[in-house]
Amino acid sequence: MRREGHRGWCSGKSSAASRECVMPAGNLRERLHFQTRAIVDDGFGNEQSGDWETVFTAAAELRPLKGSEPVIASRLSGVQPFVIQIRSCIEARVVTTAWRAVDARNPSRIFNITSAANFDEKNRYIDMMATQGVAT
């Protein structure tokens, strides 16, 4: 038996631990490539940033927040913040603000990750704040 909740479904088992709400797979509608810059050698023994490399791809839920239009270099630029939620895995736990997410279906949609945290503290999901419309 399933009971519909605000953010997912709860199992109808009798134990308190099994009543925890989890996000069903239906909410994870987007596919995102999580990328970081490759470290390359410049030929003189120095390391420098290279091109973006995809480390892993995950199903994600994108929740848009209220956007803004800051003035950057005397021009209005539309910045749209998002909350990206993915299932926790070993690769997702190492994501930092140096990473970015790219929509797998529309590669022109690029999200710069501004923070990543495990808010439920149970290692089920990783929530990331990200912005679209800023320089990578």
Side-chain angles (χ1 to χ4, degrees):
M1 172 169 64
R2 291 185 183 164
R3 295 183 199 135
E4 293 298 325
H6 179 264
R7 292 207 50 207
W9 60 273
C10 296
S11 65
K13 297 179 183 174
S14 61
S15 69
S18 66
R19 288 192 187 123
E20 297 175 11
C21 291
V22 295
M23 180 191 315
N27 290 347
L28 303 174
R29 292 184 180 101
E30 306 294 329
R31 300 276 306 158
L32 297 178
H33 298 299
F34 288 88
Q35 300 178 339
T36 185
R37 290 236 186 226
I39 303 298
V40 296
D41 188 2
D42 67 352
F44 298 102
N46 301 315
E47 294 179 347
Q48 62 184 15
S49 296
D51 292 332
W52 291 99
E53 288 185 345
T54 299
V55 177
F56 69 99
T57 302
E61 178 187 14
L62 288 174
R63 290 188 307 252
L65 301 174
K66 185 178 177 183
S68 64
E69 291 183 344
V71 177
I72 299 174
S74 300
R75 287 185 236 152
L76 279 176
S77 61
V79 176
Q80 177 63 53
F82 283 89
V83 174
I84 300 172
Q85 189 172 47
I86 63 173
R87 286 191 180 102
S88 182
C89 62
I90 293 170
E91 295 91 359
R93 291 184 201 131
V94 298
V95 173
T96 65
T97 57
W99 290 53
R100 73 178 188 176
V102 178
D103 191 339
R105 296 181 186 110
N106 183 5
S108 64
R109 283 183 75 188
I110 298 172
F111 305 94
N112 291 324
I113 297 172
T114 56
S115 71
N118 177 10
F119 289 117
D120 69 353
E121 296 182 2
K122 295 180 182 175
N123 282 333
R124 291 186 303 186
Y125 296 98
I126 303 290
D127 291 330
M128 301 173 203
M129 290 292 298
T131 55
Q132 180 185 9
V134 295
T136 57

